[in-house]
C-alpha cells in the first residue's frame, strides 16, 4: 500500500507530460493553419494584382500612344503620362502611411487573430 501513492504520483506525472505534449502539438497545428491561411490569401491577392498591373501597363501604353497622336509627336504622350504618374506618385508618397501601412497592418493582425 505504500507504493500506491507513488504509483498514483507517477501516473499523474505521465498524464501531465502527455497533456503538455498534446497541447504543444495542438498549438503547432493551429499556428500552421493560420500561417497557411495568410500565405494562401497573400499568394492569391498577389496573382490578382499581377494580372491587374499587366492590364494597366498595356492600357497606359495605349493611352500614351493616343495622347502622342493628339499632341503631334508620339513621345509627347509618354512624357505627359509620365508627368501624371509623377504627380500621383508624390501624392501617394505623402500619404502612404495612411493609405497603405495602416490598412495592411490591420489586415495582417485581423487574419492572424481570427
Amino acid at each position: 500500500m505504500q507504493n500506491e501513492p507513488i504509483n498514483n504520483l507517477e501516473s499523474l506525472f505521465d498524464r501531465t507530460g502527455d497533456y503538455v505534449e498534446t497541447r504543444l502539438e495542438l498549438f503547432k497545428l493551429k499556428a500552421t493553419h493560420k500561417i497557411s491561411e495568410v500565405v494562401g490569401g497573400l499568394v492569391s491577392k498577389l496573382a490578382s494584382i499581377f494580372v491587374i498591373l499587366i492590364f494597366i501597363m498595356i492600357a497606359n501604353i495605349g493611352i500614351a500612344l493616343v495622347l502622342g497622336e493628339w499632341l503631334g509627336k508620339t513621345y509627347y504622350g509618354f512624357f505627359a503620362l509620365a508627368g501624371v504618374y509623377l504627380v500621383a506618385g508624390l501624392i501617394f508618397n505623402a500619404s502612404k502611411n495612411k493609405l497603405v501601412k495602416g490598412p495592411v497592418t490591420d489586415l495582417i493582425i485581423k487574419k492572424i487573430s481570427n
Side-chain angles (χ1 to χ4, degrees):
M1 286 214 189
Q2 219 172 12
N3 288 339
E4 196 171 307
I6 293 174
N7 287 339
N8 286 340
L9 189 59
E10 287 175 0
S11 175
L12 179 64
F13 282 130
D14 289 340
R15 287 184 181 176
T16 302
D18 291 342
Y19 175 76
V20 169
E21 287 177 19
T22 303
R23 293 293 292 177
L24 283 173
E25 187 66 27
L26 180 63
F27 175 75
K28 288 178 189 177
L29 290 173
K30 283 183 176 182
T32 302
H33 179 71
K34 289 288 183 188
I35 290 170
S36 65
E37 279 184 351
V38 169
V39 170
L42 183 64
V43 168
S44 67
K45 292 214 185 299
L46 286 175
S48 298
I49 289 171
F50 179 73
V51 170
I52 290 169
L53 286 175
I54 288 180
F55 169 77
I56 290 171
M57 187 174 63
I58 292 171
N60 280 316
I61 291 171
I63 292 169
L65 290 172
V66 169
L67 281 174
E69 189 175 313
W70 289 345
L71 297 173
K73 301 263 185 191
T74 304
Y75 58 89
Y76 287 169
F78 285 95
F79 286 142
L81 204 55
V84 169
Y85 280 115
L86 176 65
V87 171
L90 291 173
I91 292 170
F92 178 78
N93 191 41
S95 60
K96 67 183 170 194
N97 285 340
K98 183 179 178 183
L99 294 175
V100 177
K101 186 178 178 185
V104 169
T105 303
D106 293 343
L107 178 68
I108 290 172
I109 290 171
K110 182 180 174 185
K111 281 285 192 182
I112 290 174
S113 66
N114 280 339

